[in-house]
Amino acid sequence: MRRLLLTTAVATTAALTLTACGTTEPAADDAKKTTERITLIDATGTKVELDGPAKKVVGTEWNVVEHLIELGVDPVGVSDVKGYKTWDTAVPLKNEPKDIGTRGEPSMETVAALKPDLILATSDLPPAAVKQLRKIAPVLEVKAADAADPIGRMTENLDLIAKATGTTDKATELKKQFEAKLDEGRKALADAKLAGAKYAFADGYVVSNQVSIRPYTSGSLIGAVNEKLGLKNAWTVKGDPAYGLGATDVEGLTKIGDVQFAYIGNDGDASSNPFAGVLAKDKVWTSLPFVKKGNVHRLPDGVWMFGGPGSMNKYVDSVVAALTK
Amino acid sequence: MAVTATTPATRPPTATSRTGAAPVTAALLLLVVALAVVDITQGTAAVGAPEVWKALTGRADPADASVVVASRLPRMAAGLLVGAVLGMAGAALQAVSRNVLASPDTLSVNAGSYFALGLASVTGVSLPLLASSGLAFVGGLAAAAVVLGLSGLGTGTVRLVLAGSALTLGLTAVTEGLLLLFPQQTDGIYHWNQGSIAQNGFDGVLQMLPVAVVGLVGLLLLARRIDALALGDDAARGLGVPVRATRLTAVVLAALLSTAAVTLAGPIGFVGLCAPALVRPLARRFRGFTRTRGSLPLAGLTGAALVLGSDVVLRVLVPSDVAVAVPTGVVTSLVGALFLVVMATRTRDTAAAAETDRLRIRSRGVFLTTTAVLVVVLVGVVIAALLLGDAKLLLGDVLNWAQGRAGRTTAFVLDTRVPRVLAALLAGAALALAGTLVQAVTRNPLAEPGILGVSGGAALGAVLLVTTVPMVGSWGVAGAAFAGAAASSVLVFGLAAKDGFRQNRLVLVGFGVATGASALISLLIILTDPFNAIKALTWLSGSTYGRTLPDVVPLAAVLAVGVVVAAARRTELDLVSLDEDTPRLLGLNLGRGRLGFLALAVLLSATAVAAAGTIGFVGLVAPHAARALVGRQHARVVPVAVLIGAVLVCVADLVGRTVIAPAQLGAGLMTAVIGTPYFLYLLVRSRRG
């Protein structure tokens, strides 16, 4: 033990001598230019001041990243890039941003090294982490989700990000497109005599042979879009106050009756698609009225269920396509 | 009760006196049946008692019938099977090791199996159920072999539980780390390391049933030999029983049984520990249960009652849609923890005074060199921790930063990194000091804040506050952590102080409280904030993520006070750690001094938890290593232990921050990974002593 300690000591001293006392960055010099300043109030009530439209932006959550790409600003840093590429192909990354770690614990150091003009965070990040990020660069914290008004929350976030990046015109255009898409979808469903159809959307996952199902209640973004399309939400379970997601299992599906059932899985994540996998042999599943009638629709991969107008547009297209087949 | 080997094995079982045993068995069966019936009527579908009745009599509509047949009945069957096999595995393990605390959990069979399954799932190989159960079997058996090998069969209860729980912690940490390194789930699902008995159809149950039957039949065939082992190894040998082979076979069969349970439902805690313990008082009353042949099935029934009972109670207390998200294992852990505490306070403690480390007196020179070397290592580690991370820096950057001349990026990197390094250093030091104090006062070399449930209580207090009040300051969290730690230590030390901290009792009560606390934390997070995996990680496995300088202030203040007090009262610490009588002869008031030291230790652990989450092992390992290096005088042990603790957590944090950068692994996970092997090594050494 003592010998071990000694060698460590010697090794560290050696390592320290070898670590030349250089610097990786020159000492600070104060040279700041001021252009048109932008002042915003974010979701926490914090005043965010920017020297101009933000160009180098980092996003800690996928929904804000999606907003950014849609607004034509390519993020310099994104958390869990691989995951984004897997789950959100509706609005794909156009550049190769730096991976800044997980969505729950973005690495401060990587973010700082990117020297962003603006960091987009959501209320899902621990307050302590947001406080630290604010020291690196101005942080625009948006409310992650709000089951009281999911679509309103999405567009407000989009507007806020647009203001910060000087892309308000693009945001207006995106919102118009989204409204148009909703109308188009509603009309297509009404023409197919599906107005007011009972509809349930869920995702599911398998952990050690056990299937958990997450109902998307009317408080979820997807749920709100469904209602705009004139579909009737069939879930009776209560969702959480932010995302409007509930929890249930296979037998809980017996409560929703005869509906149109849709889900999104992902081929890149083996545990994310129980409906066509594990459940194919499950008697409860196979005896559900909507399964018997073949009213189960797997919507195309890559629509991020908590994303922005881009994902939702694609979602509307896929629902309409699936139900009017 | 002499068991002679000459009795013919074909003797009908009715020949033994079973008066009283039959009614008891019948009553238990009735209870299990009642629970099973209630369990079938519970669930998320609107299928209650009347629908179930209709389904069973074949008059229900097909949807309801399918719910009963493919969801309710399999779940009930899985509960029965899992409970029964765990109960029997526990009973067999306890019988062959002559140790009331042997069980699939404490021998880390469950953790070993789960680790093997985790390894398989990470590599992305999807195995058929039987193949994966084979894998789980190998893992579980290997873990059990390590634990039994380390603690020696039929020796100290505490050693076994400690070796097992240490290995469990280590393996769980590794499994957890694997799941983080290879995220299969991108939707923020936290793996609770807890099983659940929900099923989809009968497939799983039917595939595991033969495995369970093989295990049970094997154990019943071995029953006579197992009975003979109860007489002691020599007596058993005298009867011509091959002791070693019997033991080995029984452990393998028990591992097989537990494996079936883990494969079917994941790890379900504590059933294997509690069920046989519940049967034991019955065995004293009714002769029919004294033999393994009678007690094994009874333990199985009890286990089934425990699992089904937990499931029923959960579904009665919380709405069915919420109950879906709560793993059965969390509930059984809670029940089991309560049980362990009650059992520990009621059993007679037979442990002799704890073994004192037999150590050579070290010279002053050794102490000085050790300290000097440790200081150099600490400085080196701190510098490494400052330079390494996601963004690699050089020394010049740090110098610039210290003078306030650093460039923007460097300044930010160091502004976030320095508090983390400090939190790790101070938390390590505080936990090491707390461990030193607790070990001195209880004279128990295996006592530490984590194992005694003090850290668990602190984390529970902090989580309660963070959950109810979203925006709290560092002092608030520290205060809540202290309240939790104080409550849990009053419970643990209060219950254990009945006759002057009998060693085993203290550790067992503590272990129960620690387990209960972590189950409660899991439950709280599942019920209030199910998608917040980060919160769960921080409070269940420690992390320095997002710490700022103000968070570290309470810890620094308490640590400074602690070090001063420990230094001033060093002689008193020495005396208290010797034995009961010496301080009394010298006219010292033991009670007050002990209480003071314990209070200080609790305060230290609480602030450490508030600053860096639950970090295990440090409080255990650092004092041990210090004593091994510089002898027993606290004047020397305290500084060395504090240095070692600081180095250990700092290294763990450094590794956690860099190994999968930019993603992170919690410091607590890494401490467990680094600490487990050392701890097991310590156990081996003290066995030889």
Side-chain angles (χ1 to χ4, degrees):
Chain A
M1 180 88 193
R2 255 174 311 149
R3 196 172 305 140
L4 180 79
L5 281 177
L6 263 174
T7 39
T8 339
V10 172
T12 7
T13 337
L16 289 184
T17 2
L18 290 174
T19 322
C21 293
T23 61
T24 54
E25 186 190 27
D29 54 338
D30 289 44
K32 282 225 168 85
K33 295 191 292 290
T34 44
T35 43
E36 17 140 16
R37 296 184 70 74
I38 299 177
T39 309
L40 299 161
I41 305 290
D42 77 357
T44 56
T46 312
K47 201 160 147 195
V48 182
E49 294 204 16
L50 300 170
D51 291 342
K55 292 277 174 284
K56 291 173 74 180
V57 191
V58 166
T60 67
E61 253 301 343
W62 295 345
N63 54 355
V64 294
V65 168
E66 185 179 314
H67 287 323
L68 268 183
I69 301 169
E70 284 247 279
L71 292 167
V73 182
D74 286 330
V76 291
V78 172
S79 29
D80 191 0
V81 172
K82 186 167 162 254
Y84 187 92
K85 285 177 175 166
T86 308
W87 283 93
D88 198 341
T89 52
V91 185
L93 289 162
K94 294 190 183 70
N95 58 338
E96 282 295 329
K98 183 116 180 78
D99 193 321
I100 61 163
T102 55
R103 290 185 288 152
E105 289 187 339
S107 160
M108 301 290 161
E109 301 179 3
T110 310
V111 174
L114 289 169
K115 300 188 189 169
D117 319 327
L118 175 71
I119 299 165
L120 297 175
T122 72
S123 48
D124 282 346
L125 213 55
V130 175
K131 210 162 108 190
Q132 287 195 327
L133 286 170
R134 287 196 197 280
K135 288 195 186 131
I136 296 171
V139 175
L140 195 65
E141 182 181 322
V142 300
K143 205 167 166 194
D146 183 0
D149 179 13
I151 294 181
R153 175 51 38 212
M154 174 184 88
T155 51
E156 264 173 67
N157 289 352
L158 185 73
D159 286 339
L160 203 57
I161 294 168
K163 275 190 199 123
T165 50
T167 50
T168 40
D169 299 350
K170 181 76 185 160
T172 315
E173 190 190 326
L174 287 174
K175 283 187 291 188
K176 276 209 187 94
Q177 277 172 359
F178 177 56
E179 287 299 326
K181 179 64 73 180
L182 287 177
D183 291 339
E184 184 192 318
R186 170 193 283 273
K187 196 172 164 306
L189 288 176
D191 291 347
K193 302 275 183 298
L194 284 163
K198 280 180 76 185
Y199 173 86
F201 180 89
D203 66 357
Y205 40 90
V206 193
V207 180
S208 56
N209 302 327
Q210 277 145 9
V211 179
S212 310
I213 294 167
R214 286 200 301 187
Y216 284 57
T217 68
S218 47
S220 65
L221 181 56
I222 295 254
V225 169
N226 295 337
E227 281 170 17
K228 288 266 188 212
L229 292 176
L231 295 165
K232 203 166 163 303
N233 172 38
W235 292 113
T236 51
V237 294
K238 223 169 77 83
D240 71 285
Y243 288 99
L245 295 171
T248 189
D249 52 2
V250 184
E251 60 169 80
L253 297 176
T254 53
K255 280 193 182 158
I256 55 177
D258 191 1
V259 296
Q260 294 287 344
F261 184 86
Y263 67 91
I264 288 180
N266 196 298
D267 285 336
D269 184 342
S271 61
S272 70
N273 187 5
F275 303 107
V278 189
L279 293 184
K281 292 201 303 269
D282 187 298
K283 287 223 173 46
V284 180
W285 172 255
T286 50
S287 71
L288 290 166
F290 54 88
V291 179
K292 279 188 192 153
K293 291 184 185 167
N295 291 335
V296 178
H297 314 281
R298 176 174 180 177
L299 305 183
D301 291 9
V303 168
W304 182 233
M305 294 78 101
F306 317 96
S311 275
M312 290 305 118
N313 291 343
K314 191 171 170 195
Y315 171 76
V316 172
D317 286 342
S318 26
V319 174
V320 171
L323 297 188
T324 55
K325 246 196 310 238
Chain B
M1 186 207 96
V3 181
T4 51
T6 51
T7 41
T10 49
R11 189 182 54 178
T14 43
T16 46
S17 142
R18 289 195 175 245
T19 36
V24 172
T25 316
L28 194 59
L29 256 176
L30 205 64
L31 174 71
V32 171
V33 169
L35 285 171
V37 168
V38 176
D39 199 54
I40 298 176
T41 62
Q42 294 173 314
T44 45
V47 177
E51 289 82 3
V52 172
W53 178 246
K54 276 188 199 145
L56 293 176
T57 51
R59 289 180 299 120
D61 67 291
D64 286 354
S66 70
V67 165
V68 173
V69 172
S71 171
R72 300 288 173 80
L73 285 173
R75 187 183 75 203
M76 187 270 290
L80 277 176
L81 184 69
V82 167
V85 297
L86 286 176
M88 290 186 297
L93 288 171
Q94 291 180 12
V96 293
S97 62
R98 287 198 295 276
N99 184 332
V100 293
L101 284 166
S103 75
D105 326 80
T106 46
L107 292 179
S108 73
V109 177
N110 282 351
S113 310
Y114 194 60
F115 169 69
L117 290 175
L119 206 58
S121 78
V122 159
T123 48
V125 190
S126 62
L127 293 163
L129 203 61
L130 270 177
S132 65
S133 78
L135 201 68
F137 176 58
V138 173
L141 199 60
V146 170
V147 173
L148 286 170
L150 280 177
S151 60
L153 285 161
T155 52
T157 305
V158 169
R159 304 179 55 88
L160 180 94
V161 173
L162 285 172
S165 52
L167 192 58
T168 302
L169 275 172
L171 285 171
T172 312
V174 176
T175 315
E176 193 77 44
L178 281 176
L179 293 170
L180 288 172
L181 283 166
F182 304 93
Q184 300 283 308
Q185 291 287 1
T186 41
D187 44 10
I189 305 300
Y190 178 74
H191 294 264
W192 297 100
N193 289 315
Q194 294 282 13
S196 167
I197 58 169
Q199 296 293 317
N200 300 300
F202 266 110
D203 291 0
V205 177
L206 289 178
Q207 274 175 316
M208 283 302 121
L209 199 58
V211 180
V213 170
V214 167
L216 173 63
V217 170
L219 282 175
L220 287 178
L221 288 175
L222 260 188
R224 264 170 207 294
R225 290 181 172 182
I226 293 176
D227 285 338
L229 283 186
L231 305 172
D233 288 8
D234 297 340
R237 267 194 208 98
L239 293 171
V241 172
V243 172
R244 206 161 241 197
T246 306
R247 217 166 245 154
L248 198 68
T249 322
V251 170
V252 169
L253 289 169
L256 190 67
L257 286 171
S258 335
T259 304
V262 173
T263 319
L264 186 63
I268 292 198
F270 270 116
V271 177
L273 185 68
C274 294
L278 281 169
V279 172
R280 216 166 292 117
L282 289 176
R284 281 200 281 276
R285 306 258 316 257
F286 304 107
R287 281 196 41 204
F289 300 136
T290 44
R291 308 244 175 121
T292 306
R293 245 170 228 184
S295 63
L296 207 64
L298 198 69
L301 270 180
T302 315
L306 274 173
V307 173
L308 282 178
S310 297
D311 199 47
V312 167
V313 167
L314 171 71
R315 283 169 211 277
V316 166
L317 291 181
V318 291
S320 60
D321 288 321
V322 181
V324 169
V326 182
T328 321
V330 169
V331 189
T332 58
S333 284
L334 263 181
V335 174
L338 198 69
F339 200 82
L340 187 64
V341 171
V342 171
M343 214 174 71
T345 48
R346 290 190 48 196
T347 48
R348 269 205 316 266
D349 202 338
T350 49
E355 59 224 88
T356 47
D357 327 351
R358 287 189 199 75
L359 295 163
R360 280 178 307 174
I361 304 294
R362 305 269 186 198
S363 67
R364 198 192 157 100
V366 171
F367 165 62
L368 290 177
T369 8
T370 310
T371 317
V373 169
L374 271 172
V375 168
V376 173
V377 170
L378 184 66
V379 171
V381 167
V382 169
I383 290 174
L386 286 176
L387 299 186
L388 297 173
D390 262 5
K392 308 281 178 284
L393 300 176
L394 292 170
L395 273 178
D397 296 321
V398 181
L399 290 177
N400 278 345
W401 179 79
Q403 296 161 0
R405 305 179 29 246
R408 213 179 100 181
T409 314
T410 316
F412 290 132
V413 169
L414 282 168
D415 282 345
T416 56
R417 203 180 281 173
V418 169
R420 293 186 69 173
V421 174
L422 270 179
L425 279 177
L426 295 175
L431 288 168
L433 183 56
T436 312
L437 293 172
V438 175
Q439 289 183 11
V441 171
T442 58
R443 289 200 303 281
N444 186 334
L446 301 172
E448 68 119 7
I451 289 181
L452 292 184
V454 178
S455 305
L460 184 59
V463 172
L464 271 171
L465 183 75
V466 173
T467 307
T468 45
V469 189
M471 293 298 288
V472 277
S474 329
W475 285 98
V477 176
F482 178 66
S488 65
S489 29
V490 164
L491 183 67
V492 173
F493 293 116
L495 287 173
K498 255 199 337 202
D499 37 11
F501 295 130
R502 296 306 303 228
Q503 310 303 340
N504 287 2
R505 182 166 303 156
L506 176 71
V507 173
L508 293 182
V509 173
F511 187 55
V513 169
T515 314
S518 79
L520 275 175
I521 292 170
S522 306
L523 198 61
L524 194 72
I525 295 177
I526 293 170
L527 294 181
T528 56
D529 207 353
F531 304 122
N532 199 337
I534 299 304
K535 189 168 168 184
L537 273 175
T538 301
W539 294 113
L540 291 168
S541 66
S543 154
T544 57
Y545 181 80
R547 300 298 166 206
T548 50
L549 279 177
D551 294 331
V552 185
V553 172
L555 177 58
V558 172
L559 182 63
V561 171
V563 171
V564 169
V565 170
R569 295 293 186 85
R570 56 188 183 275
T571 32
E572 205 172 322
L573 269 175
D574 285 341
L575 286 170
V576 165
S577 67
L578 275 179
D579 56 28
E580 285 291 324
D581 307 330
T582 317
R584 288 224 178 83
L585 289 171
L586 295 169
L588 265 176
N589 184 347
L590 261 187
R592 288 230 330 259
R594 277 180 161 184
L595 200 64
F597 287 133
L598 282 182
L600 185 60
V602 170
L603 196 57
L604 283 164
S605 327
T607 42
V609 168
T614 354
I615 295 180
F617 277 106
V618 187
L620 184 75
V621 168
H624 264 283
R627 281 197 297 268
L629 287 169
V630 297
R632 297 183 51 94
Q633 288 164 292
H634 281 86
R636 295 174 181 182
V637 171
V638 169
V640 173
V642 165
L643 285 171
I644 292 174
V647 168
L648 178 61
V649 180
C650 201
V651 169
D653 182 57
L654 171 65
V655 174
R657 277 190 296 122
T658 48
V659 73
I660 55 166
Q664 344 230 342
L665 288 170
L669 285 183
M670 296 315 299
T671 326
V673 171
I674 298 169
T676 305
Y678 179 76
F679 179 69
L680 296 177
Y681 158 78
L682 274 182
L683 277 173
V684 171
R685 264 198 20 183
S686 63
R687 212 179 115 198
R688 274 194 249 120

